[in-house]
Amino acid sequence: EAQVTQNPRYLITVTGKKLTVTCSQNMNHEYMSWYRQDPGLGLRQIYYSMNVEVTDKGDVPEGYKVSRKEKRNFPLILESPSPNQTSLYFCASSTTDSWGYTFGSGTRLTVV
Amino acid sequence: DQQVKQNSPSLSVQEGRISILNCDYTNSMFDYFLWYKKYPAEGPTFLISISSIKDKNEDGRFTVFLNKSAKHLSLHIVPSQPGDSAVYFCAEENFGNEKLTFGTGTRLTIIP
């Protein structure tokens, strides 16, 4: 089944404790992206990657890092999480040959 | 400043009637608009799209209308069904850079 898999689904952590949210897709898509969803703000892009070793900032990149060492994986790294990063995070992938994105099921992160 | 706006955070419609969701945009330099549907605890899923060179696209019960002079987009669902209850996001895309810019979403509730 074609899908984007994120882990974990839920995470509660403390301020300053580094964490990684993993994202993997099995569709051989070139493009991958991370979004966060917050009430009243919709989905905002954090980082994206056009292909392996090619990453760039989205609209809200502060406090986040990403890497794209393999085509299928695009982890999101929070080096020193803060409470304002409490949010619902979505990974997505796409290819230039088709419409829109395929999204993962989301990771709900709470930073206390 | 929000480039894609959905001014109605919520909408309730009787089952069998027409649901109309609206979206306004500011950037005229786009290639496509897309609508996504999101259920709780799931990622958004692609619903329907429209090219900038068209003013209407239809897919079953779903029709999207584009009014470029007014910079306005709408999604019509006829007839509305209980399974249509979800949050709907409109998004604009420029083909080639793959970035989707999302609106803030409208929560549609279909009343049986």
Side-chain angles (χ1 to χ4, degrees), chain A residues 93-106:
Chain A
S93 72
S94 73
T95 177
T96 52
D97 298 333
S98 65
W99 286 112
Y101 296 169
T102 301
F103 280 87
S105 298

Side-chain angles (χ1 to χ4, degrees), chain A residues 9 31 35 37 40-43 45 50 59 90 94-96 99-101 103-105, chain B residues 32 34 36 38 41-44 46 49 89 93 95-100 102-104:
Chain A
R9 290 294 306 273
Y31 184 90
Y35 280 81
Q37 183 188 356
L41 297 175
L43 289 152
Q45 190 182 53
M50 298 293 284
D59 299 317
F90 290 101
S94 73
T95 177
T96 52
W99 286 112
Y101 296 169
F103 280 87
S105 298
Chain B
Y32 298 96
L34 300 90
Y36 278 79
K38 184 183 178 307
E42 294 183 13
F46 171 71
S49 65
F89 292 96
E93 178 176 9
F95 214 54
N97 72 14
E98 300 296 315
K99 180 178 179 179
L100 286 180
F102 286 88
T104 51

Side-chain angles (χ1 to χ4, degrees), chain A residues 40-89:
Chain A
L41 297 175
L43 289 152
R44 295 179 293 165
Q45 190 182 53
I46 303 170
Y47 267 94
Y48 66 95
S49 169
M50 298 293 284
N51 215 321
V52 176
E53 301 291 2
V54 181
T55 64
D56 208 345
K57 297 177 180 179
D59 299 317
V60 288
E62 295 77 21
Y64 304 95
K65 284 176 56 178
V66 293
S67 68
R68 187 91 182 273
K69 294 183 170 59
E70 305 164 283
K71 198 170 187 178
R72 63 183 292 123
N73 295 324
F74 190 46
L76 179 70
I77 303 155
L78 285 73
E79 295 270 5
S80 183
S82 62
N84 65 11
Q85 293 178 297
T86 293
S87 186
L88 180 57
Y89 291 86

